[in-house]
Amino acid sequence: MNSLKHEGLGMTSRRTRNRLIQRLREEGIANEAVLKVMASTPRHLFLDEALAIRAYEDTSLPIGYGQTISQPFIVARMTELLLSRAKSRQRVLEIGTGCGYQAAILAQLVEKVYSVERILPLLEQARRRLRELGIFNVETQLSGGGFGWPEQGPFDAILVTAAPPEIPEELKQQLTPGGVMVLPVGSEQQFLTVVSRRADSDQFDLERSEAVRFVPLLGGVVK
Ligand code: SAH
């Protein structure tokens, strides 16, 4: 990812990006591998051109169809949580491909990413962007159930980027023993939650982390 286009100019320049990374550090992101990948991944290429100048602000932004690209701090935090809890990072499922940014970050830190999205035009655009960036270890699928991708499971880790009101049982069942899921949970008030499946029994441990604001996890496909 070293071409001039990916490098960016002005508000998308390396200097602007480094300011964002510095800010993430100050806000408590400590995983150097995550920070490095976020510094080198051109977030502006996941946005419409009109919004590209805001790509390195620490804020969520609209991507069409009433959806958003997650705030960089939240992407970093969820990725960091997932990496620190996961025992293995061979197969990772993402729910909610959206523009593909979180998938691009994950793909550079784990072996293989499976990502599902319910809005076809978003999915097609994300596929194109990932290809253009030379990221080939992300497999995607249109999915409307909210229930992941059972045919490809079980997964070492699952990252959910839309909020269900409660932890979906179907997703817990797609975790390997020792597997971990990071997701926002709640409707009015949402909290980042880590669900860990015990390696030696069919039990799950829960950890509740900071308050967050995600679009809702919904059913049904949009074509
Ligand atoms: N991961 C994205 C965030 C996208 S916002 C990023 O990197 O910025 C959340 C996405 O989840 C939306 O695109 C929405 O359409 C999708 N979504 C919501 N419910 C879903 C479901 N049940 N299955 C798959 N995708 C879903």
Side-chain angles (χ1 to χ4, degrees), residues 163-199:
E166 280 160 27
I167 301 168
E169 192 58 37
E170 292 83 348
L171 292 182
K172 284 162 72 180
Q173 296 311 325
Q174 287 170 53
L175 285 172
T176 55
V180 57
M181 170 158 61
V182 179
L183 77 168
V185 185
S187 11
E188 288 295 286
Q189 245 211 327
Q190 303 168 2
F191 289 93
L192 217 51
T193 306
V194 182
V195 180
S196 307
R197 184 173 202 159
R198 291 195 189 162

Side-chain angles (χ1 to χ4, degrees), residues 4 11 14 17 21 24 29 33 50 57 65-66 68 70 83 86 96 106 116 124 136 141 152 162 182 207 209 214:
L4 218 51
M11 289 312 285
R14 177 145 303 272
R17 289 190 213 178
I21 301 306
L24 297 179
I29 304 299
E57 292 176 16
Y65 302 88
T68 53
S70 302
L83 294 179
L106 269 180
V116 294
E124 286 173 336
F136 298 113
Q141 161 139 308
Q152 294 283 7
V182 179
E207 273 172 77
S209 192
F214 276 82

Side-chain angles (χ1 to χ4, degrees), residues 146-158:
F147 305 136
W149 198 345
E151 299 79 11
Q152 294 283 7
F155 300 97
D156 301 313
I158 301 178

Side-chain angles (χ1 to χ4, degrees), residues 114 118 213:
Y114 298 84
R118 62 182 283 272
R213 228 186 149 75

Side-chain angles (χ1 to χ4, degrees), residues 67-70 94-102 116-119 122 143-146 161-162 215-218:
Q67 307 304 319
T68 53
I69 182 173
S70 302
E94 178 194 30
I95 318 271
T97 318
C99 64
Y101 178 70
Q102 171 77 70
V116 294
E117 170 57 55
R118 62 182 283 272
I119 302 177
L122 287 180
S143 144
T161 68
V215 295
L217 190 79
L218 299 173

